Amino acid sequence: MLVARRLDEEAIALQRQGVLPAYAPAKGQEAAQVASGAALDLNRDFAFPTYREVGVAVGMGVDLAAYLASHRNIWHGGLYDPQSSRLAPLNAIVGGPVLHAVGWAMGAKLDGTGGAAIAYFGDGASSQGDVHEAMNFAGVYRLPVVFFCQNNGWAISVPTERQVAGGSVAARAASYGIESLRVDGNDALAVFEATRAALERAREGGGPTVIEAMTYRMGPHSTSDDPGRYRTLEDEQAWAGRDPLVVAAQQLTAEEVAAAEEHAAAVVREVRESLVSLDVRPGEELFSFVYREPTKSLLAQQRAWKEHLDA
């Protein structure tokens, strides 16, 4: 979690320095992300992230410089290998990863691989029609998928109570015949156990589960956001005492925390150096991974692009 926090802070600094065009901070959500990612079986499960899952990448052991390459705008989806890392490319479509996870889960059920998918989304995304369709489909076909909602209190600037009818994302699961639970999203051990159990149940044919991890986005929605315009300092200070790193540190010795800080600093230093030194990818790759067989329209766009460069 310290690696995720310090890397998050470094990414914000790099954005302010002009290295990253934009970044979506994850401060406060480290327990929900790292612990759920660590619960996956990387030999058979698959994770589908949004644009704010740096902690999931840490928990899954993904190449972090390659992960952040997407935020640097060097290559769409990051430079890591999704197939071997078991982490799908970053997805900025609100609710989009949920559909992809359900599609993957259907494939896993049909080919009998025994793996499960986990779909990440926020409380704001839960109001998207795509999420309703995905949960309904997964419920009908009893698919091996875990819907992992990080309820961080805010859909950008709109509080949960103003956009989630009934106030609970987990409660919606009953409408689809899906198991659900709420968990303290700032308690890493609780998140790990809940996610591990839901994944195990999915792999054994028990169907999908909705996990609503109750947490708090301590920073802005993105580096272009000012949370001071829509929430109070008192609210932020109240949640500061429930910081997942503070909660975790209370279960460790001072020596263990110091060692973790030293490790995090070394990781961040290495990631920063690797990220800054990455070369820009060839522009032709914009057209290389759209279709298995390029369409006439895509080929026409590629020709127009080349003509523009040569003009």
Side-chain angles (χ1 to χ4, degrees), residues 191-216:
V191 171
F192 178 84
E193 288 301 329
T195 309
R196 181 197 57 75
L199 288 166
E200 187 174 288
R201 181 173 168 276
R203 296 187 205 108
E204 294 175 351
T209 301
V210 174
I211 296 177
E212 185 176 15
M214 306 304 293
T215 182
Y216 189 76

Side-chain angles (χ1 to χ4, degrees), residues 10-254:
E10 182 64 27
I12 294 172
L14 289 171
Q15 192 279 329
R16 300 308 190 208
Q17 295 165 24
V19 177
L20 305 182
Y23 181 72
K27 184 179 181 180
Q29 298 177 223
E30 292 88 356
Q33 294 189 5
V34 175
S36 61
L40 292 162
D41 180 343
L42 300 185
N43 291 316
R44 49 182 175 168
D45 298 335
F46 218 102
F48 294 81
T50 70
Y51 47 81
R52 197 191 302 278
E53 262 67 68
V54 64
V56 175
V58 171
M60 295 179 65
V62 177
D63 182 325
L64 296 173
Y67 170 87
L68 287 172
S70 180
H71 290 290
R72 194 180 160 195
N73 204 25
I74 287 179
W75 209 81
H76 41 283
L79 287 171
Y80 62 93
D81 179 4
Q83 189 61 38
S84 61
S85 69
R86 313 303 285 175
L87 180 71
L90 277 67
N91 194 326
I93 304 299
V94 178
V98 183
L99 291 171
H100 295 171
V102 168
W104 186 94
M106 172 60 92
K109 182 172 183 175
L110 292 174
D111 65 22
T113 57
I118 185 168
Y120 289 94
F121 61 106
D123 50 299
S126 74
S127 297
Q128 293 288 106
D130 287 353
V131 175
H132 156 75
E133 293 175 14
M135 288 187 179
N136 185 65
F137 191 88
V140 169
Y141 290 98
R142 310 303 297 161
L143 299 181
V145 58
V146 175
F147 297 99
F148 194 92
C149 175
Q150 295 173 76
N151 188 337
N152 65 16
W154 297 93
I156 305 182
S157 60
V158 181
T160 303
E161 61 268 18
R162 286 179 52 193
Q163 60 89 27
V164 175
S168 171
V169 176
R172 296 175 176 175
S175 300
Y176 311 109
I178 295 176
E179 296 289 330
S180 69
L181 73 155
R182 268 188 168 188
V183 64
D184 182 353
N186 287 6
D187 183 335
L189 291 176
V191 171
F192 178 84
E193 288 301 329
T195 309
R196 181 197 57 75
L199 288 166
E200 187 174 288
R201 181 173 168 276
R203 296 187 205 108
E204 294 175 351
T209 301
V210 174
I211 296 177
E212 185 176 15
M214 306 304 293
T215 182
Y216 189 76
R217 191 195 76 215
M218 297 175 71
H221 171 74
S222 70
T223 45
S224 61
D225 176 41
D226 177 11
R229 299 184 64 181
Y230 53 82
R231 68 187 189 193
T232 66
L233 181 60
E234 290 74 20
D235 187 34
E236 293 180 354
Q237 290 175 335
W239 273 93
R242 298 171 62 184
D243 184 329
L245 268 67
V246 172
V247 174
Q250 293 171 347
Q251 304 172 49
L252 302 171
T253 66

Side-chain angles (χ1 to χ4, degrees), residues 290-310:
V290 183
Y291 299 105
R292 179 178 296 178
E293 297 295 335
T295 63
K296 291 182 179 180
S297 175
L298 185 66
L299 292 173
Q301 292 177 44
Q302 186 175 21
R303 286 194 298 270
W305 172 77
K306 288 182 177 179
E307 290 170 0
H308 174 74
L309 290 182
D310 295 337

